Amino acid sequence: MKSVIFAAALASAAAFAPAPVAQTATALSAFESELGAQPPIGFWDPLGLLDEAGQGRFDRLRYVEVKHGRIAQLAFLGNIVTRAGGHFGGNIDSAGHAFDSYPNGWAAIYGADAIPVKGAVQIFSFIGLLEIAVMKDMDGFGNEFPGDLRNGTFKSAWDKFDEETKVQKRAIELNNGRAAMMGILGLMVHEELGGTLPVVGDM
């Protein structure tokens, strides 16, 4: 497991390495004004994923980035809350196992005290159902931007904002998601390394 976490850390670190080949002027001119290309870094694509890419490619990558950011925010918050002692009350199954009887972090999925296989299958099946049938950008509902998964719902709450506020809120979500992706990866690495972290506590 440590090798998997280490490999993930290296992959993330690669994103901060200088690009070996200069990006094309086409990519820079096309996307340097997009949401997320903001000071102090500006448009930054060290791996060249957008070299010669069109708007469709950019929108797909942005959709994936936003979704991963949302998942990372939930993961990071869930990690912090459970390590602080916050758990659902009652039992997780009919056998009488309490929610707080299982460890936090990776240990809840992988290890001697992990959630039973049948329980893990139910969890991942539910996540798969959400991914395939619910949390997706459906055509015909007037979604406004990549990652807009309202699909015709919550229109009144969003439409009350002016365009400047909408852009600001999207930028905040994007930045929080980026920070959360690094944050949850850091927690996963530190859990394997052990020790104690401020606020989080014992890993």
Side-chain angles (χ1 to χ4, degrees):
M1 180 57 66
K2 289 186 178 181
S3 61
V4 174
I5 300 298
F6 183 69
L10 287 179
S12 295
F16 294 90
V21 179
Q23 294 174 317
T24 64
T26 303
L28 288 173
S29 61
F31 305 118
E32 63 183 3
S33 61
E34 288 282 356
L35 182 71
Q38 54 202 41
I41 297 176
F43 175 71
W44 195 50
D45 180 25
L47 299 181
L49 298 177
L50 292 173
D51 288 353
E52 305 297 340
Q55 189 65 42
R57 169 70 172 167
F58 177 87
D59 288 346
R60 171 59 184 168
L61 291 175
R62 172 52 51 82
Y63 173 80
V64 172
E65 178 184 22
V66 170
K67 179 176 280 191
H68 286 180
R70 290 168 178 169
I71 294 170
Q73 289 176 76
L74 290 172
F76 185 87
L77 182 61
N79 213 305
I80 296 296
V81 169
T82 54
R83 289 185 184 281
H87 298 88
F88 289 116
N91 298 326
I92 196 173
D93 57 22
S94 59
H97 297 108
F99 282 96
D100 60 2
S101 66
Y102 293 101
N104 303 308
W106 271 114
I109 303 173
Y110 181 84
D113 299 321
I115 297 170
V117 174
K118 291 182 179 179
V121 169
Q122 292 179 53
I123 293 172
F124 284 105
S125 296
F126 178 67
I127 294 172
L129 177 64
L130 292 178
E131 176 72 17
I132 295 172
V134 181
M135 305 303 293
K136 58 186 298 186
D137 189 347
M138 301 178 185
D139 296 331
F141 287 97
N143 294 334
E144 300 178 16
F145 51 86
D148 182 359
L149 307 182
R150 291 175 298 151
N151 300 319
T153 61
F154 302 105
K155 283 190 174 183
S156 59
W158 178 252
D159 291 343
K160 70 180 182 181
F161 299 121
D162 56 41
E163 291 304 315
E164 182 179 356
T165 303
K166 288 181 179 180
V167 171
Q168 180 185 35
K169 288 185 176 296
R170 289 177 57 201
I172 291 172
E173 181 191 28
L174 190 61
N175 283 334
N176 286 349
R178 290 169 174 173
M181 285 188 274
M182 298 304 298
I184 190 60
L185 179 60
L187 288 179
M188 292 162 63
V189 171
H190 279 285
E191 182 176 348
E192 292 301 307
L193 295 177
T196 301
L197 294 178
V199 181
V200 181
D202 293 335
M203 299 299 291

